[in-house]
Amino acid sequence: MIVVDSSVWIDYFNGRITKQTNLLDSLLGREPIVIGDLILTEVLQGFREDRDFNRAKGLLDCLLFRPMLGKELAIKSAENYRHLRKLGVTIPKTIDVMIATFCIENTLPLLHNDKDFEPIAEHLKLDVVT
């Protein structure tokens, strides 16, 4: 079971061929893929056409859905952000820290194409799919 970040889904729906989208394509239907509310929102908000939005929503509805935040994980995300900042690492997008914290706390690997996850993996033991 893995979590696929919005950075990969966006590339996938835009038809970009990357190492990550190729891996996602090979995993669909073979490996349980988790999508959380934060990722679902990031992916779906980018569609301009209703037809494309509905098609993507239909595909994403077939995945395992998990809420990613809540009070405990919100606090843990803030603690993780502060820990990284004390190490001199600032993650530009808070949502990336939230997604990473969800993965860490649920021991789920993350497939991503976003360099902001690299220091999180290095300092907080985020398991990334390569």
Side-chain angles (χ1 to χ4, degrees):
M1 191 165 14
I2 69 165
V3 176
V4 177
D5 181 54
S6 57
S7 58
V8 178
W9 284 113
I10 291 166
D11 284 348
Y12 185 80
F13 285 121
N14 284 323
R16 289 191 193 101
I17 298 172
T18 66
K19 180 177 121 180
Q20 292 85 358
T21 58
N22 283 338
L23 182 55
L24 172 58
D25 200 39
S26 73
L27 293 173
L28 286 169
R30 289 188 27 235
E31 175 80 22
I33 296 175
V34 174
I35 189 160
D37 44 9
L38 302 175
I39 296 169
L40 186 62
T41 299
E42 280 190 314
V43 173
L44 291 178
Q45 73 186 2
F47 288 98
R48 295 180 194 266
E49 302 296 327
D50 290 343
R51 178 189 74 245
D52 297 333
F53 172 87
N54 289 323
R55 189 176 311 144
K57 189 168 76 72
L59 171 66
L60 298 172
D61 277 346
C62 296
L63 304 176
L64 298 172
F65 177 82
R66 298 288 184 270
M68 297 187 95
L69 209 49
K71 184 177 180 179
E72 287 179 28
L73 284 180
I75 292 168
K76 185 65 181 172
S77 295
E79 291 170 349
N80 285 340
Y81 184 92
R82 293 180 71 246
H83 175 75
L84 291 166
R85 193 173 57 202
K86 287 177 187 176
L87 296 173
V89 176
T90 302
I91 305 299
K93 295 175 278 179
T94 302
I95 199 164
D96 288 345
V97 178
M98 294 172 178
I99 292 167
T101 299
F102 170 83
C103 291
I104 293 165
E105 295 299 309
N106 290 281
T107 60
L108 293 169
L110 178 67
L111 175 62
H112 71 87
N113 189 17
D114 184 338
K115 64 180 174 41
D116 292 337
F117 287 109
E118 292 169 12
I120 301 172
E122 179 183 345
H123 298 291
L124 294 177
K125 299 179 183 164
L126 172 63
D127 181 15
V128 295
V129 179
T130 54

